Amino acid sequence: MKSFEEIFAEWHDEFPFLKKYSPSTLYQKVGPFLMGLRIGKIGEESYRIFLEMIPLWYTERRTFGQPCVYDELDDKKGGQEIISYRHHDLDFSEALKDAKRQYGLVLTPEIPLNDLIEYLELESERGAYGSKYVRQLSRCSMFETQLAIATYLNKKELFDDTWKHIMTESPKWDTEYFNQITGRTVEERIENMHSKFASRDKFMDTVEWNYQRPRVARLNTGHIIRVDEYTEYIPKLSWREKIRSIFTKR
């Protein structure tokens, strides 16, 4: 049976542009966040894989390191991917295929901006498989991440598109639930988001300050590319939705 250290090394070999950040994480710096994989132990004989994004626009000790994206790897059927130490050679091959399918848009040293936005949208929609409240929190976190990317790149179109979607979706969010979970109402959460990105100079100073943290500074640097090719993301219809739209038009 393979040890956790051997398993960690196998994942690192597949994604050599990532570097060890902690005993269970492999990250790279990408714009205003860290991004990479977490190998999460389940007992002594199995583990799970997550793609994480760690925001670099926070400085508070209690919040730094908390992911804004925490995307658990699914198997081909959409269920939880559990990987066994004992049967690792077989399980690893399948998990790697699934990781490239689910994370392929962004798990690379150079990430096209449109692919990054598409991934964030798809990841937030996976939250729809939970309760509507979980989905609302997921969407809120996604919007904040998009605003951070837009601020970092000084991309006004992305910033404006994101705020447009916030203003459309947020009135439908459950204020009581937000207050219970986050200690803020929906309105306070949105105002808090606005204040974080009101000054680009302050935002960039915070990101740069976090880049100097010793463990962060040692990481490789990935890049967001094709910024000028940005177009607003439009969700793709499933085949059921396409059929429904045909009959609706008639």
Side-chain angles (χ1 to χ4, degrees):
M1 186 168 71
K2 290 191 175 179
S3 68
F4 183 83
E5 291 73 21
E6 290 173 317
I7 289 167
F8 186 92
E10 285 195 46
W11 282 100
H12 196 185
D13 288 344
E14 294 294 334
F15 302 97
F17 54 90
L18 303 177
K19 292 188 73 173
K20 183 177 180 179
Y21 182 78
S22 76
S24 61
T25 55
L26 295 160
Y27 291 154
Q28 64 175 337
K29 302 187 289 280
V30 182
F33 50 81
L34 307 181
M35 189 200 70
L37 297 176
R38 175 177 294 277
I39 297 95
K41 294 181 181 180
I42 308 174
E44 298 298 324
E45 296 192 358
S46 59
Y47 68 95
R48 297 177 293 173
I49 292 292
F50 301 85
L51 185 141
E52 293 186 335
M53 292 184 179
I54 306 296
L56 297 176
W57 57 94
Y58 292 112
T59 57
E60 298 89 345
R61 184 184 296 271
R62 65 183 179 84
T63 55
F64 185 80
Q66 295 180 6
C68 55
V69 169
Y70 191 64
D71 187 11
E72 183 173 1
L73 183 63
D74 295 334
D75 61 25
K76 286 192 286 286
K77 296 181 180 179
Q80 189 180 60
E81 184 103 45
I82 304 293
I83 308 156
S84 165
Y85 291 15
R86 193 171 299 278
H87 306 108
H88 193 260
D89 288 343
L90 178 61
D91 287 358
F92 178 71
S93 176
E94 289 301 311
L96 184 60
K97 292 177 185 177
D98 293 332
K100 291 180 177 179
R101 168 186 51 78
Q102 187 167 322
Y103 306 145
L105 288 174
V106 295
L107 202 53
T108 173
E110 294 188 331
I111 309 169
L113 178 57
N114 282 340
D115 287 356
L116 177 56
I117 299 305
E118 180 177 353
Y119 169 77
L120 290 171
E121 290 278 354
L122 293 173
E123 189 279 329
S124 74
E125 285 299 326
R126 279 192 282 274
Y129 296 121
S131 71
K132 68 176 183 179
Y133 306 114
V134 172
R135 181 181 185 277
Q136 289 169 7
L137 289 174
S138 177
R139 296 290 288 175
C140 187
S141 180
M142 179 208 69
F143 287 137
E144 180 172 325
T145 304
Q146 288 187 354
L147 290 173
I149 294 166
T151 303
Y152 183 86
L153 298 174
N154 204 17
K155 193 69 177 174
K156 185 177 185 302
E157 302 98 314
L158 174 58
F159 196 90
D160 291 345
D161 288 342
T162 302
W163 271 113
K164 178 179 70 176
H165 291 300
I166 291 172
M167 292 300 100
T168 300
E169 289 192 26
S170 60
K172 305 171 188 175
W173 294 346
D174 189 291
T175 294
E176 183 177 342
Y177 179 78
F178 265 76
N179 197 9
Q180 179 183 346
I181 299 300
T182 69
R184 295 190 180 104
T185 64
V186 170
E187 292 75 14
E188 289 170 339
R189 183 72 174 84
I190 292 172
E191 178 56 35
N192 179 258
M193 271 198 287
H194 184 273
S195 65
K196 287 175 185 174
F197 309 110
S199 168
R200 184 171 185 269
D201 288 343
K202 182 178 179 181
F203 170 87
M204 295 298 288
D205 286 345
T206 301
V207 172
E208 181 58 34
W209 188 86
N210 280 319
Y211 263 48
Q212 305 310 312
R213 290 174 180 262
R215 285 201 296 166
V216 174
R218 289 194 293 267
L219 299 175
N220 292 332
T221 301
H223 300 280
I224 303 171
I225 62 172
R226 300 181 188 172
V227 175
D228 292 339
E229 298 175 15
Y230 165 75
T231 54
E232 185 176 5
Y233 175 74
I234 299 174
K236 298 177 179 67
L237 295 177
S238 68
W239 65 270
R240 288 189 180 87
E241 290 169 327
K242 289 177 182 177
I243 293 174
R244 190 181 300 121
S245 68
I246 292 172
F247 285 99
T248 301
K249 291 177 182 178
R250 290 178 180 176

